[in-house]
Amino acid sequence: IRKISDRTMARQVLLFISVLSLSSVHGQVSYSIPEEMAKGSLVGNIAQDLGLDIKRLKSGKARIYTGDSAEYIELNKERGVLLIKENIDHREALCGQTTPCALHFQIILENPMEFYSITVEITDTNDNAPVFKRNAMTFEISESALTGARFVLERAIDNDVGINGLQSYYIRPTDHFILKPNSKIGSSKNVEMVLQKPLDREEQEHISLTLTALDGGEPQLSGTMQIVITVLDANDNAPVCAEAEYTASISEGAPKGTVLTTISASDADQGPNGRVTYSISNTAEGAAELFEVDEKYGVVRLVGNVDYEKMKHYEIDVQATDQGGHSDACKVIIEVMDTNDNKPSINTMSKTNSISEDATPGTVVTMMNIQDPDSGENGRVQCTMNENIPFAMKSTSNNFFTVVTDSDLDRERASEYNISVTCSDEGVPSLSSSVTLTLQISDVNDNAPVFERSSYEAYIIENNTPGLSIFTVKARDADWNQNARVSYILEDSSVNGVPISSYVSVSADSGVIHAVRSFDYEQIKDFQFRVKAQDGGSPPLSSNVTVKIMIQDQNDNAPQVLYPVQTSSSLVAEMVPRSADVGYLVTKVVAVDVDSGQNAWLSYKLQKATDRALFEVGLQNGEIRTIRQVNDKDAVKQRLTVVVEDNGQPSRSATVNVNVVVADSFPEVLSEFTDFTHDKEYNDNLTFYLVLALAVVSFLFITCLVVIISVKIYRWKQSRILYHSNLPVIPYYPPRYADTLGTGTLQHVYNYEVCRTTDSRKSDCQFARPCSQNVLLMDPSSTGTMQRMQNEQNILDEPDSPIEVCCI
């Protein structure tokens, strides 16, 4: 159950992986994962976090470099993610008690060569319960033991860290024994059991207790150890150490088996109750592997290798215990003596972290003091530096050295130097130590910022929210510090006479382009501007780049019906003869959508009809045709409602009513004209444009009429001169009739009409078709009809006589 809970918690923690990235030339990314993640689990999207394209990972042959360390993480170049390669079952096996526990590796790319540092921190989960080395401890305690007698217990071990580590103990039952109240977790004090109630062998000869150790994790884990107590009879004296504290000294490098000291303890009892045994009870970490005590004679010996540089002082507790379970403890203090095994110590007294590239030769970079605690030749030190660097080392006095420049510096050639100083003594064999000094070369402002691209293109959907972030331009400067601090400035320009600052803005620090206004694709489809990147040097250097913004269309406009025109005061009806065959073209619904792409793809559907079995609408072209033979039983008046719908998401639509008259002649249906109803839907904007259009048409008509009259007068005068006659020749034109010569682009002569309603402010102009089809114009205030007819007769004899007729 605990393992299942741990796995569930690991999956939940995985959902909250934190990613921190630093923006630099070589990026650094950190991840945090819990231990015990399964093989193949996702660590993080490294391509997204480093801002790399997956194609770059493939072309750059991206790989993970871990040095000599085991490779627990692998890179999936197909997905651009980091995965668990080897199960990290136990964080404790990798780092022990060290926190934080992290894996460090690099991702290397080629062509061009780049590397990125990756840190994966392995967080501790409460997967280790406190554990006792022994399952049980046995004590033989005399019934004469006094209240308050103390018994040292074994400590528990918990490999987890922090709150998941060992937190507390408790013992059950507590009839006779309790834990010492001042026992502290993690301190050098013992875990002690204290007798609080006298024992009685006759009442209870054996006592079984359970010592429980608890950690602080969630869920809380525990470990137990059984304490078995045998009550002995009449052993009322405890061993007493001869000294409370013993001291000993040993030189580092001493051989194993060296005797340090002998512990002596006495017991006033006789026989088995007075027999004392010795054992090490508590030691500092690592000391138990270095020292041992003879159980019978109390001799303390060295069993490991001591190192003065690691530990100069050890303290161990030796417990003297008699057969009755009474015990006493004494402390053994061991001092480690040093031998001549010290390397020279390099101490940096003063150093410069950075130096200008225009620094003169001889400039002091670092001052060092070299110390070797050894004496004689073993303490005499000589220092050298690595070669092929523009620096030299000079000795100012005993044990004091300086590092100075000895040639000109060039940051563009090398922005950083690692100066390795090696100091060796004259001992045999010689001991040495090294130190590496990192020196940054500060720059002068001689590089302008360079954008990552030569130009940028970005897309934004129309009707955006003002202030929306569109995208980011990025420029880098090869200089350093303030000289490389890039600010972004929007260069002054205009789009259609409007300042570019009214369209977009740029963040000076981040280069993020924001939309200042909401864009309308129908008004502007794209625009471009220039962004300048300027560094913080003195004087500043800059470069610029062209940015093009492409507006993407949304389906924010409904279709508009151009024909048939819906008016409120006059009614246009299409006439279908009763002899019409199947597929007869009645009329065509014409509509447009100012959107673009699929948002402007229109489809036509018949929503309602007086007789659905008689008419159909072309889905794509809007043509209304008959789908069966018209017969005498069909109603004279037919009303169709057509829905025009675009292909946007969501789609928008418009409806139009089409009136159809089934008749062979106009008088047949004249009495039915006034029965049609009209939808009265007005649009203020449409009315304005209709009034404007009517005014333009009226102006053109008057102009046309004046021109025609002038031409006719001119022709009449010319004819009088040609025929030498005093009688005026005035050609006669039938009312509402005009004929043009057959020499134009049309082989036949057509008569066209411009028809308008009595309420022209709220209607459109209708341009009728040629008279090859019949159209009825019906006005509720009039019972007259007009039929367009085709005439192939020439009115004028002159073949070049232009005749222009404009009818209203």
Side-chain angles (χ1 to χ4, degrees):
I1 295 175
R2 182 179 67 83
K3 291 184 178 178
I4 295 175
S5 176
D6 290 345
R7 292 172 182 170
T8 302
M9 181 178 67
R11 295 191 186 100
Q12 294 174 347
V13 172
L14 180 61
L15 296 177
F16 295 93
I17 291 177
S18 58
V19 179
L20 300 173
S21 61
L22 301 176
S23 177
S24 63
V25 176
H26 301 288
Q28 178 172 339
V29 178
S30 297
Y31 297 93
S32 178
I33 64 172
E35 62 177 327
E36 297 187 353
M37 288 184 66
K39 182 177 179 180
S41 298
L42 176 67
V43 176
N45 191 326
I46 191 65
Q48 176 180 336
D49 298 332
L50 289 177
L52 297 175
D53 189 32
I54 293 179
K55 294 181 179 178
R56 172 65 179 130
L57 293 177
K58 296 179 180 178
S59 64
K61 301 178 180 178
R63 66 183 187 276
I64 289 178
Y65 175 76
T66 61
D68 297 333
S69 302
E71 188 172 336
Y72 293 95
I73 308 297
E74 68 177 353
L75 173 63
N76 187 320
K77 290 184 285 187
E78 299 297 329
R79 298 166 54 195
V81 298
L82 294 178
L83 304 175
I84 297 296
K85 181 178 181 181
E86 296 293 338
N87 291 350
I88 306 175
D89 293 333
H90 298 288
R91 185 200 69 85
E92 294 75 21
L94 290 176
C95 304
Q97 296 293 313
T98 302
T99 57
C101 179
L103 299 175
H104 301 278
F105 57 91
Q106 290 76 38
I107 291 181
I108 300 177
L109 294 93
E110 299 178 357
N111 299 321
M113 185 174 292
E114 297 178 292
F115 79 94
Y116 300 89
S117 296
I118 311 299
T119 300
V120 179
E121 181 182 354
I122 304 172
T123 60
D124 183 48
T125 59
N126 192 26
D127 57 345
N128 292 284
V131 176
F132 291 93
K133 290 183 180 179
R134 292 183 287 182
N135 293 329
M137 289 186 68
T138 60
F139 290 92
E140 293 181 348
I141 305 175
S142 174
E143 63 179 340
S144 61
L146 300 177
T147 302
R150 297 175 298 171
F151 304 90
V152 179
L153 304 178
E154 180 183 320
R155 293 179 182 174
I157 298 174
D158 192 330
N159 290 328
D160 291 325
V161 296
I163 192 65
N164 294 329
L166 182 63
Q167 299 295 320
S168 62
Y169 295 93
Y170 70 85
I171 192 170
R172 293 289 185 275
T174 58
D175 296 339
H176 293 278
F177 297 92
I178 61 172
L179 292 182
K180 187 178 179 181
N182 62 348
S183 295
K184 297 182 180 179
I185 306 303
S187 70
S188 61
K189 294 193 175 184
N190 302 325
V191 180
E192 297 180 344
M193 179 176 64
V194 180
L195 180 64
Q196 68 171 353
K197 179 182 178 181
L199 300 175
D200 187 350
R201 188 189 65 83
E202 289 73 24
E203 180 181 343
Q204 187 177 8
E205 185 175 358
H206 299 284
I207 299 175
S208 179
L209 305 176
T210 301
L211 176 64
T212 303
L214 298 172
D215 63 17
E218 181 63 36
Q220 192 176 45
L221 302 179
S222 63
T224 60
M225 179 180 67
Q226 295 297 318
I227 301 173
V228 180
I229 300 173
T230 301
V231 181
L232 301 179
D233 195 24
N235 184 14
D236 55 352
N237 289 287
V240 177
C241 292
E243 298 180 22
E245 187 174 285
Y246 292 82
T247 60
S249 63
I250 187 172
S251 298
E252 59 178 335
K256 296 179 181 180
T258 301
V259 176
L260 301 176
T261 187
T262 301
I263 307 300
S264 176
S266 60
D267 193 316
D269 296 325
Q270 293 181 350
N273 292 332
R275 191 177 300 128
V276 178
T277 58
Y278 302 91
S279 62
I280 295 177
S281 58
N282 291 303
T283 64
E285 183 178 356
E289 291 77 20
L290 298 177
F291 308 99
E292 71 174 7
V293 61
D294 184 86
E295 183 182 81
K296 184 175 181 180
Y297 298 104
V299 177
V300 180
R301 291 186 178 89
L302 177 68
V303 295
N305 297 318
V306 294
D307 188 351
Y308 177 82
E309 283 68 39
K310 291 183 178 180
M311 183 69 74
K312 302 177 178 63
H313 177 85
Y314 291 94
E315 291 186 5
I316 61 175
D317 294 332
V318 177
Q319 182 173 323
T321 307
D322 64 14
Q323 299 299 314
H326 295 288
S327 63
D328 191 15
C330 59
K331 188 178 294 295
V332 179
I333 300 175
I334 303 171
E335 299 290 341
V336 181
M337 306 300 293
D338 187 32
T339 59
N340 186 23
D341 59 349
N342 293 288
K343 298 179 181 180
S345 174
I346 303 175
N347 301 312
T348 302
M349 300 173 57
S350 177
K351 68 176 180 178
T352 300
N353 294 324
S354 65
I355 185 172
S356 176
E357 64 178 331
D358 58 357
T360 58
T363 302
V364 177
V365 175
T366 302
M367 297 180 63
M368 294 181 295
N369 174 244
I370 313 300
Q371 297 290 338
D372 192 324
D374 296 330
S375 60
E377 292 183 353
N378 294 329
R380 195 171 299 128
V381 179
Q382 296 293 332
C383 297
T384 59
M385 292 176 53
N386 52 322
E387 299 178 352
N388 300 323
I389 59 174
F391 301 96
M393 176 172 279
K394 294 183 178 180
S395 176
T396 58
S397 60
N398 290 337
N399 299 328
F400 290 93
F401 297 85
T402 59
V403 177
V404 299
T405 60
D406 68 345
S407 62
D408 293 332
L409 304 176
D410 185 359
R411 183 187 178 278
E412 281 65 41
R413 184 176 60 193
S415 61
E416 179 181 282
Y417 288 96
N418 292 321
I419 305 172
S420 296
V421 178
T422 302
C423 296
S424 304
D425 60 26
E426 297 181 1
V428 178
S430 177
L431 300 178
S432 63
S433 59
S434 301
V435 65
T436 300
L437 308 175
T438 301
L439 182 64
Q440 302 285 342
I441 308 301
S442 62
D443 188 39
V444 295
N445 192 27
D446 56 352
N447 290 283
V450 177
F451 283 94
E452 294 178 344
R453 303 182 195 172
S454 59
S455 62
Y456 291 87
E457 281 191 3
Y459 296 86
I460 184 173
I461 300 177
E462 66 171 330
N463 304 318
N464 58 286
T465 303
L468 177 68
S469 173
I470 303 176
F471 77 111
T472 303
V473 295
K474 194 70 176 178
R476 300 186 182 278
D477 196 312
D479 294 328
W480 179 76
N481 205 359
Q482 183 67 25
N483 293 333
R485 187 170 299 164
V486 179
S487 298
Y488 301 92
I489 303 170
L490 186 65
E491 291 191 349
D492 291 336
S493 61
S494 61
V495 177
N496 298 330
V498 179
I500 191 63
S501 58
S502 299
Y503 288 84
V504 293
S505 65
V506 61
S507 174
D509 296 329
S510 62
V512 177
I513 306 295
H514 295 275
V516 175
R517 63 167 62 179
S518 179
F519 297 110
D520 186 355
Y521 177 82
E522 287 71 38
Q523 294 182 359
I524 181 171
K525 293 179 174 55
D526 60 76
F527 63 92
Q528 64 182 23
F529 54 91
R530 296 180 71 82
V531 175
K532 180 170 71 174
Q534 180 175 287
D535 62 26
S538 181
L541 301 177
S542 64
S543 62
N544 51 40
V545 70
T546 299
V547 179
K548 186 174 183 180
I549 304 296
M550 314 291 289
I551 312 299
Q552 293 182 325
D553 184 44
Q554 273 190 330
N555 191 26
D556 56 348
N557 292 281
Q560 297 181 2
V561 178
L562 301 181
Y563 184 86
V565 178
Q566 302 294 290
T567 63
S568 60
S569 59
S570 64
L571 182 63
V572 176
E574 303 292 340
M575 189 172 71
V576 177
R578 296 189 183 277
S579 60
D581 293 331
V582 176
Y584 178 82
L585 178 62
V586 178
T587 186
K588 181 177 181 179
V589 177
V590 180
V592 295
D593 194 317
V594 297
D595 291 324
S596 65
Q598 68 176 12
N599 295 330
W601 297 350
L602 301 181
S603 59
Y604 303 83
K605 298 178 183 177
L606 184 61
Q607 185 182 47
K608 294 188 300 183
T610 303
D611 187 353
R612 279 187 170 272
L614 183 57
F615 302 101
E616 68 176 358
V617 179
L619 181 63
Q620 303 298 331
N621 55 23
E623 293 180 349
I624 299 177
R625 296 180 179 271
T626 59
I627 57 177
R628 63 173 175 80
Q629 183 77 36
V630 179
N631 55 51
D632 296 336
K633 296 181 180 180
D634 291 325
V636 175
K637 297 181 297 180
Q638 298 283 339
R639 185 179 180 85
L640 311 177
T641 301
V642 179
V643 176
V644 184
E645 191 175 62
D646 60 28
N647 197 41
Q649 293 294 333
S651 63
R652 297 175 178 269
S653 62
T655 59
V656 60
N657 294 320
V658 179
N659 297 307
V660 179
V661 176
V662 179
D664 292 323
S665 62
F666 293 117
E668 182 181 349
V669 296
L670 186 61
S671 61
E672 305 292 339
F673 289 166
T674 57
D675 294 339
F676 284 105
T677 59
H678 301 273
D679 293 331
K680 296 183 178 181
E681 298 179 357
Y682 301 97
N683 186 296
D684 293 339
N685 292 332
L686 183 60
T687 301
F688 170 76
Y689 291 116
L690 290 176
V691 172
L692 180 61
L694 182 60
V696 172
V697 171
S698 300
F699 174 76
L700 293 176
F701 170 73
I702 295 173
T703 303
C704 180
L705 188 60
V706 171
V707 171
I708 291 174
I709 294 174
S710 300
V711 170
K712 295 305 177 184
I713 295 174
Y714 174 77
R715 295 285 186 182
W716 176 70
K717 289 182 178 180
Q718 289 295 324
S719 63
R720 291 187 62 189
I721 296 173
L722 292 174
Y723 291 103
H724 303 286
S725 174
N726 294 327
L727 296 175
V729 179
I730 301 176
Y732 170 74
Y733 299 97
R736 302 188 181 186
Y737 181 85
D739 193 342
T740 61
L741 298 177
T743 59
T745 59
L746 297 177
Q747 297 179 357
H748 300 283
V749 181
Y750 290 82
N751 181 33
Y752 290 87
E753 296 174 330
V754 177
C755 304
R756 64 183 178 87
T757 63
T758 56
D759 190 1
S760 61
R761 292 181 298 105
K762 299 178 180 177
S763 63
D764 295 334
C765 288
Q766 175 179 347
F767 295 89
R769 297 184 307 275
C771 61
S772 59
Q773 297 181 10
N774 295 328
V775 177
L776 290 180
L777 176 64
M778 293 163 283
D779 193 323
S781 61
S782 172
T783 59
T785 64
M786 185 190 318
Q787 181 177 10
R788 289 176 295 173
M789 303 187 312
Q790 179 178 348
N791 190 355
E792 296 182 355
Q793 179 181 358
N794 293 333
I795 301 300
L796 297 178
D797 294 333
E798 293 87 2
D800 57 348
S801 299
I803 298 179
E804 301 176 3
V805 178
C806 183
C807 302
I808 294 183

